[in-house]
């Protein structure tokens, strides 16, 4: 038989165990409630932010010999820097497969023929090819307007290298009543310079021009030359250069994200710094 003292100790131990179990259970319930509350508040904040963002789109054109997949990662990269850019409709059109003169007439994806290499200020133009490419981009714009309900002044046209040259033509030969929201030119160049007559409407389209300082394909001289001609006609140009060749740079993508977010969502909640 247990003594009275032992019985009392047993009761105390059981009591403490029950209290500890109850305490742990209540603590677990409290932590679960706090997690659910935190998730609910985060979801509400995200819904509030995205619901106020307006519809917009980015049409981005790849370079010579490439395809849409070459730049489709922008739809993940840009929102990772500026989250509101997840509200963009991303469009990556494919270029047709055409003969390219500098490759001895061999066919590859290209927006127009390339007649000189490297591409300096005096490079010749394949005017017909460029106009066909601009028409293709116009069809993409019309599709976005009709099917997605996104107006031209909420559409950004951009591209890399050859694709950027076409984006530039599309933006500043624009004869529509509305300007594009912006133009993005990465390692590209201004073509058909002798025909450069920008309308008052098209001048309202701001330009981001990023270029590699060691570019040996689309020469770095193209940036300063093109910027000068465009600014003389009243275009607002944000020109940046980076210590790379004919390629993109992480700082360039970061600057591009901030440029787009500021233009498209500046009236909304403060952007991520």
């Amino acid at each position: 038989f247990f003594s009275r003292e032992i019985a009392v100790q047993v009761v105390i131990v059981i009591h403490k165990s029950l209290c500890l179990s109850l305490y742990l259970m209540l603590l677990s319930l409290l932590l679960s409630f706090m997690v659910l509350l935190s998730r609910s508040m985060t979801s509400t904040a995200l819904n509030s932010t995205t619901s106020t963002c307006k519809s917009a789109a980015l049409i981005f054109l790849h370079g010579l010999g490439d395809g849409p997949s070459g730049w489709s990662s922008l739809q993940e990269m840009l929102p990772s820097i500026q989250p509101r850019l997840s509200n963009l409709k991303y469009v990556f059109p494919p270029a047709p497969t055409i003969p390219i003169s500098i490759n001895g007439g061999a066919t590859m994806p290209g927006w127009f023929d390339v007649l000189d290499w490297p591409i300096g200020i005096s490079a010749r133009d394949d005017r017909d090819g460029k106009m066909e490419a601009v028409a293709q981009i116009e069809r993409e714009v019309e599709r976005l307007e009709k099917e997605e309900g996104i107006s031209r002044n909420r559409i950004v046209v951009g591209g890399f290298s050859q694709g950027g040259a076409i984006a530039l033509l599309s933006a500043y030969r624009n004869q529509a009543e509305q300007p594009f929201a912006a133009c993005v030119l990465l390692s590209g160049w201004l073509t058909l310079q002798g025909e450069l007559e920008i309308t008052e409407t098209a001048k309202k389209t701001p330009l981001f021009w990023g270029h590699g300082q060691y570019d040996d394909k689309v020469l770095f001289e193209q940036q300063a030359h093109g910027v000068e001609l465009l600014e003389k006609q009243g275009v607002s140009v944000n020109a940046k250069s980076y210590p790379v060749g004919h390629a993109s740079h992480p700082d360039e993508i970061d600057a591009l994200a901030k440029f787009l977010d500021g233009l498209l969502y500046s009236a909304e909640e403060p952007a991520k710094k």
Side-chain angles (χ1 to χ4, degrees):
F1 295 97
F2 294 109
S3 66
R4 177 184 177 84
E5 289 77 8
I6 293 175
V8 169
Q9 291 299 321
V10 169
V11 170
I12 291 173
V13 169
I14 293 173
H15 177 73
K16 288 182 177 179
S17 298
L18 289 173
C19 289
L20 180 60
S21 297
L22 181 60
Y23 170 76
L24 291 174
M25 182 176 68
L26 290 174
L27 181 61
S28 177
L29 289 172
L30 179 60
L31 289 174
S32 297
F33 173 75
M34 291 176 66
V35 169
L36 290 173
L37 180 62
S38 176
R39 289 177 178 175
S40 176
M41 292 175 65
T42 301
S43 176
T44 300
L46 287 173
N47 289 337
S48 175
T49 299
T50 56
S51 63
T52 59
C53 290
K54 300 176 182 179
S55 296
L58 169 62
I59 301 174
F60 197 89
L61 314 181
H62 62 79
L64 179 66
D66 200 359
S69 62
W71 285 88
S72 61
S73 60
L74 283 178
Q75 60 191 331
E76 287 85 35
M77 295 171 64
L78 294 176
S80 73
I81 301 168
Q82 295 291 337
R84 291 183 297 195
L85 297 181
S86 62
N87 295 283
L88 282 178
K89 172 72 176 179
Y90 291 87
V91 181
F92 302 96
T97 299
I98 60 173
I100 302 296
S101 294
I102 61 168
N103 287 337
T107 60
M108 63 173 56
W111 296 104
F112 52 85
D113 193 10
V114 179
L115 305 172
D116 298 293
W117 196 258
I119 301 171
I121 294 172
S122 61
R124 293 169 292 169
D125 286 313
D126 168 22
R127 188 182 189 283
D128 290 344
K130 290 180 172 69
M131 291 299 96
E132 289 176 11
V134 169
Q136 180 179 341
I137 304 313
E138 274 299 312
R139 290 191 290 272
E140 292 289 348
V141 172
E142 292 172 4
R143 185 185 62 79
L144 286 170
E145 290 176 325
K146 293 177 181 178
E147 298 180 10
E148 304 290 340
I150 302 175
S151 61
R152 182 179 294 260
N153 64 1
R154 297 290 294 167
I155 297 174
V156 178
V157 287
F160 175 77
S161 189
Q162 203 186 47
I166 293 303
L168 203 62
L169 274 182
S170 298
Y172 299 110
R173 291 180 71 94
N174 176 28
Q175 301 293 318
E177 294 181 359
Q178 288 185 327
F180 284 103
C183 181
V184 172
L185 178 63
L186 306 184
S187 302
W189 71 103
L190 177 64
T191 63
L192 302 179
Q193 298 173 20
E195 302 178 21
L196 188 63
E197 293 183 7
I198 305 175
T199 67
E200 290 301 318
T201 297
K203 289 177 186 179
K204 298 176 183 177
T205 301
L207 170 65
F208 177 90
W209 188 330
H211 213 112
Q213 297 163 0
Y214 311 121
D215 197 330
D216 59 351
K217 296 177 176 60
V218 179
L219 301 183
F220 184 44
E221 66 182 16
Q222 289 278 17
Q223 186 185 50
H225 180 69
V227 168
E228 180 182 5
L229 293 177
L230 290 165
E231 287 184 335
K232 280 183 178 179
Q233 296 217 18
V235 176
S236 173
V237 184
N238 183 346
K240 295 184 178 294
S241 63
Y242 303 91
V244 293
H246 193 61
S248 185
H249 189 280
D251 291 345
E252 182 178 50
I253 301 302
D254 184 74
L256 172 58
K258 292 175 181 176
F259 172 79
L260 293 176
D261 185 84
L263 282 172
L264 297 171
Y265 302 115
S266 60
E268 309 297 343
E269 296 177 10
K272 176 183 176 183
K273 300 297 184 183

